[in-house]
Amino acid sequence: MEKIVVGLKRVVDYNVRVQVKSDGSGVETDGVKMSINPFDEIALEEALRIKESGAASEVIAVSIGTSDAQQQLRTGLAMGADRAILVLVDGDIDPLSVAHVFKALAEKENAGLVMLGKQAIDGDNSQIAQMLAAIWGRPQATFASNVTIDGDTARVVREVDAGLETIEVDLPAVMSVDLRLNEPRYVKLPDIMKAKKKPLDEIPLADLGIAGGPPIKELAYAPPESRQRGVMVDDVAGLVAALKDKGIV
Amino acid sequence: MAKVLIIAEHDGSALNTSTAKCVSCAAAIDGAEIDIVVLAASAADVAAQAAEISSVNRVLTIERPENEHAVTAVLAPQVAAIAGDYSYIFGPSTTFGRDLMPHVAALLGVNQVSDIMSVEGSHSFKRPVYAGNAIVTVEAHADSLLVATVRVASWPAAAGGNSATIEAGDASVEVPSHTRYVGLESAASDRPDLQTAAKVVAGGRALGSEEQFGLIYSLADALGAAVGASRAAVDAGYCPNELQVGQTGKIIAPELYIAIGISGAIQHLTGIKDAGTIVAINKDEEAPIFEVSDIGLVGDLFSIVPELTTALG
Ligand SMILES: Cc1cc2nc3c(=O)[nH]c(=O)nc-3n(C[C@H](O)[C@H](O)[C@H](O)COP(=O)(O)OP(=O)(O)OC[C@H]3O[C@@H](n4cnc5c(N)ncnc54)[C@H](O)[C@@H]3O)c2cc1C
């Protein structure tokens, strides 16, 4: 396989305690730490390992967003991606359009694999890989926790509700990765310097000439109902009594 | 009238409760007329179970040998082929539905609403984002087909007692062979199912080893409870992956959840927000799990859990 395309979404860092804006228009992002979606980082790590094993020759990191996403692509380049593409969008873009962007790039680059995170930790939608597989007409292997490339096929272990499911797919294919697939490498300072010289192309969304679906509008954000702190008991006897009080045991 | 199609989740013989939960969500839409489709190699048993769910109008069966296992590349074109008669297509937010439904949506050229928590209007819904730290009300286009997944922890299973008509559906489309099922490795157990159990006992990193995680199983057995775990416990290999509770594991809503040696990271709490009573046992009185627990006990789990198991056994 020649190329692997990897998606890197810029999201609010997973350590941030997200706050809903008081006007309900969204969540607070001013001055908040932004990072690569943790699942996407795992997708990139896996793509790099596949390349290092000799099964692919180039890893292309792709982000769709504002020019701020350059930062996440530079981190991806420092991790080891060979080049990066930023598809520039102002404001929101619907998931089906995102899938069409990946399809356009996968076809243009003649990709053997498109690797994405199983979900982005902002919208928690878990849709892009599945949508891409549908419109590209290629196999999907979602929630991957183990990937073995064998010539023109891949064997993928998937984390499903019932346990671990194994499937075999023909390449090219789309994968979405789960947390236990690997542990992403740390970026070293010299790699950051080297990454500055790697190509990062910007393409305005309009140049790709894609059409998504009717968008789903977000009307209002609200904080979730919060749970109240309850009682503390001193010992096992107290715990059993409290459970009996509630009629649970 | 709002015609809703629900994709049944099953293992070839038993219907998963997620399907009856989807029915509850669909029934919350005004004027809903609900059909369930069972895609299987042989559908009769599962269809009979689906026909018992209240509010269901009709059960469609689509039988072909390729449907023996739930492979999205195979199922999605068949769902898309019968979608034309409906204005809503629902599936559960389980790994089955999350794999299938966005693929169906894209084949039909529409976006998808993920994880419906509540129905606010014919095309507006509430759903969680940012690991449940925000709830957003969304509105889909009223003139286009609506494809969605239903957040199973938010809905009760619809009651039984119905006897809906069962009919063979027609979805004779070509399906690809580029995706092949190989097998499933499942730690089969006689314990209650984590996703539907009324009681869950869960262990975290503090258990320290697979062997000591046995303490969790013993307490669960004394209570007739299912077993859950934090990501740290699964990553460390103390228990299988299907026990993980949280943002990226299972989202559950048992009546009782006992968290043992689990700190209460936001990604874990997302999975248990809808639990009835949360009990926390942790040696650190500052652990965030206590902020959301109804009953807390500070102390060493290695002495507390055996004592509790004896007291409840
Ligand atoms: C993208 C992403 C997704 C994630 N998804 C999930 C998810 O779905 N589910 C999930 O659980 N996590 C998830 N996590 C991980 C999460 O952030 C935490 O790292 C994890 O939940 C911690 O597990 P823990 O509470 O078992 O371990 P720790 O945080 O290490 O807590 C162990 C606790 O045990 C207590 N303890 C230690 N010894 C004893 C003793 N002898 N007796 C009593 N108490 C003791 C300690 O005080 C501590 O509170 C995710 C993280 C990321 C980045």
Side-chain angles (χ1 to χ4, degrees):
Chain A
M1 150 176 48
E2 284 274 291
K3 302 175 190 175
I4 304 178
V5 166
V6 180
L8 299 182
K9 188 178 187 186
R10 174 183 165 91
V11 298
V12 173
D13 186 82
Y14 78 94
N15 276 313
V16 172
R17 257 190 192 239
V18 171
Q19 300 289 335
V20 173
K21 284 186 189 163
S22 52
D23 65 359
S25 62
V27 302
E28 209 54 77
T29 49
D30 279 358
V32 164
K33 184 178 177 206
M34 303 296 284
S35 300
I36 299 177
N37 176 39
F39 293 96
D40 299 350
E41 217 178 320
I42 294 167
L44 175 56
E45 175 64 36
E46 197 65 18
L48 295 172
R49 290 184 191 188
I50 293 170
K51 182 188 157 189
E52 285 157 5
S53 78
S57 50
E58 190 179 31
V59 174
I60 307 164
V62 173
S63 195
I64 301 161
T66 61
S67 54
D68 290 336
Q70 281 181 4
Q71 211 185 324
Q72 280 63 43
L73 287 173
R74 287 287 169 208
T75 306
L77 291 169
M79 275 178 72
D82 297 291
R83 63 190 167 94
I85 300 172
L86 174 54
V87 177
L88 284 167
V89 185
D90 330 303
D92 290 336
I93 175 168
D94 64 286
L96 188 56
S97 296
V98 171
H100 276 285
V101 169
F102 278 110
K103 175 176 181 253
L105 295 176
E107 284 173 349
K108 184 167 162 232
E109 300 289 350
N110 205 3
L113 261 181
V114 177
M115 303 199 68
L116 306 169
K118 79 159 175 178
Q119 73 198 76
I121 60 164
D122 48 4
D124 280 333
N125 275 312
S126 193
Q127 297 178 350
I128 306 296
Q130 300 88 313
M131 288 181 160
L132 171 60
I135 57 178
W136 193 21
R138 296 306 311 166
Q140 77 186 38
T142 53
F143 325 142
S145 68
N146 192 280
V147 175
T148 319
I149 306 292
D150 181 10
D152 291 335
T153 63
R155 191 172 262 252
V156 180
V157 179
R158 309 176 54 231
E159 290 204 7
V160 296
D161 290 339
L164 296 172
E165 183 191 273
T166 303
I167 59 170
E168 191 184 74
V169 296
D170 295 338
L171 301 179
V174 186
M175 282 180 200
S176 87
V177 307
D178 215 322
L179 292 173
R180 274 176 282 276
L181 180 58
N182 62 47
E183 193 132 354
R185 64 196 66 187
Y186 284 104
V187 171
K188 297 185 216 77
L189 196 61
D191 299 328
I192 298 174
M193 303 311 290
K194 256 194 284 176
K196 288 190 176 141
K197 300 203 188 76
K198 290 184 180 175
L200 192 166
D201 293 332
E202 298 194 351
I203 310 177
L205 178 66
D207 287 11
L208 292 172
I210 57 142
I216 288 161
K217 274 188 271 177
E218 295 190 334
L219 301 181
Y221 278 73
E225 270 176 47
S226 60
R227 291 187 76 101
Q228 301 300 315
R229 195 187 227 310
V231 298
M232 297 301 285
V233 294
D234 294 328
D235 50 22
V236 169
L239 175 53
V240 173
L243 288 171
K244 285 198 168 135
D245 252 11
K246 287 183 176 271
I248 303 174
V249 296
Chain B
M1 195 180 54
K3 291 194 75 175
V4 187
L5 178 67
I6 292 170
I7 320 302
E9 175 172 9
H10 62 87
D11 61 6
S13 54
L15 185 68
N16 191 296
T17 4
S18 65
T19 306
K21 294 184 172 206
C22 290
V23 171
S24 291
C25 176
I29 294 168
D30 268 349
E33 188 187 299
I34 303 168
D35 287 358
I36 293 181
V37 62
V38 178
L39 299 123
S42 72
D45 288 356
V46 175
Q49 296 160 53
E52 288 175 17
I53 303 174
S54 70
S55 323
V56 173
N57 166 55
R58 200 165 58 133
V59 176
L60 297 172
T61 57
I62 297 180
E63 296 185 315
R64 56 197 284 177
E66 296 95 325
N67 291 351
E68 183 173 356
H69 300 288
V71 174
T72 284
V74 170
L75 302 187
Q78 301 173 63
V79 175
I82 58 169
D85 296 340
Y86 297 91
S87 24
Y88 299 83
I89 304 188
F90 283 3
S93 64
T94 54
T95 51
F96 164 76
R98 295 207 301 162
D99 191 57
L100 175 65
M101 301 309 289
H103 194 116
V104 169
L107 288 179
L108 297 166
V110 295
N111 275 294
Q112 178 193 272
V113 177
S114 292
D115 303 322
I116 295 179
M117 299 172 72
S118 70
V119 173
E120 303 293 312
S122 72
H123 287 78
S124 59
F125 309 93
K126 283 194 170 146
R127 61 173 304 263
V129 289
Y130 292 94
N133 287 301
I135 307 298
V136 62
T137 306
V138 296
E139 187 179 58
H141 206 276
D143 297 334
S144 61
L145 175 72
L146 195 139
V147 178
T149 59
V150 172
R151 183 176 183 270
V152 288
S154 298
W155 300 89
N162 191 8
S163 54
T165 345
I166 300 175
E167 285 170 29
D170 179 23
S172 39
V173 285
E174 247 184 79
V175 296
S177 58
H178 55 42
T179 308
R180 296 169 292 276
Y181 175 88
V182 178
L184 175 72
E185 190 188 308
S186 186
S189 108
D190 299 334
R191 296 192 174 84
D193 174 52
L194 174 58
Q195 239 154 351
T196 49
K199 294 173 187 161
V200 173
V201 178
R205 193 198 308 270
L207 271 302
S209 69
E210 186 179 356
E211 193 192 348
Q212 291 173 18
F213 200 86
L215 289 174
I216 302 295
Y217 288 106
S218 304
L219 176 57
D221 291 346
L223 278 164
V227 173
S230 70
R231 174 187 169 196
V234 176
D235 283 359
Y238 305 161
C239 58
N241 66 288
E242 60 264 33
L243 300 190
Q244 182 174 317
V245 171
Q247 180 186 20
T248 52
K250 286 178 178 144
I251 312 270
I252 58 174
E255 286 160 33
L256 173 66
Y257 186 77
I258 306 185
I260 299 168
I262 293 178
S263 59
I266 40 176
Q267 294 88 4
H268 187 80
L269 299 183
T270 310
I272 58 171
K273 280 203 168 108
D274 300 306
T277 298
I278 297 178
V279 175
I281 299 169
N282 196 301
K283 71 172 183 191
D284 173 13
E285 61 183 323
E286 305 282 322
I289 188 78
F290 288 123
E291 286 164 32
V292 300
S293 54
D294 302 279
I295 307 171
L297 175 53
V298 177
D300 180 11
L301 77 90
F302 293 106
S303 62
I304 292 173
V305 176
E307 198 186 330
L308 184 60
T309 306
T310 312
L312 295 170

